[in-house]
Amino acid sequence: DLLKQQKDRYTTTEEVFLKAIEEIPIPIAVMSLRLASETPTTDTRMEYVNSSFVNQTGYARDQLPNLGTWWRLAYPDQAYRRD
């Protein structure tokens, strides 16, 4: 019974956190790294973007499979991306 209460509390806390992240007026993108110390690369997967990110950039999660795609869309000038 105690384990169920802890699980319910965790689930509720997680739901509240996810709702807050989704509704915050700041664009948020979460990327997946294989290792905690890994530096993001163009292959780094975009796991989540909140609605503010979609509203401000016009790109949804399914349009951003990785960081390289995001950089090409956000900064189409290749010379600018190199600097």
Side-chain angles (χ1 to χ4, degrees), residues 44-62:
T44 300
R45 288 191 344 239
M46 302 282 282
E47 297 290 340
Y48 170 81
V49 296
N50 69 352
S51 57
S52 183
F53 184 96
V54 174
N55 292 336
Q56 291 188 30
T57 67
Y59 300 112
R61 159 66 190 98
D62 60 340

Side-chain angles (χ1 to χ4, degrees), residues 3-80:
L3 184 59
K4 182 181 178 340
Q5 288 175 354
Q6 289 175 336
K7 183 180 177 187
D8 289 346
R9 190 175 326 146
Y10 172 79
T11 301
T12 301
T13 302
E14 183 180 22
E15 289 170 354
V16 169
F17 175 77
L18 291 174
K19 183 175 171 92
I21 293 299
E22 182 58 32
E23 295 181 7
I24 194 168
I26 299 168
I28 295 177
V30 177
M31 292 164 270
S32 173
L33 297 176
R34 289 185 188 90
L35 302 171
S37 62
E38 183 181 345
T39 303
T41 66
T42 57
D43 294 333
T44 300
R45 288 191 344 239
M46 302 282 282
E47 297 290 340
Y48 170 81
V49 296
N50 69 352
S51 57
S52 183
F53 184 96
V54 174
N55 292 336
Q56 291 188 30
T57 67
Y59 300 112
R61 159 66 190 98
D62 60 340
Q63 295 173 292
L64 303 169
N66 56 46
L67 192 56
T69 301
W70 164 242
W71 284 118
R72 284 189 299 280
L73 292 169
Y75 304 102
D77 182 354
Q78 187 175 8
Y80 183 81

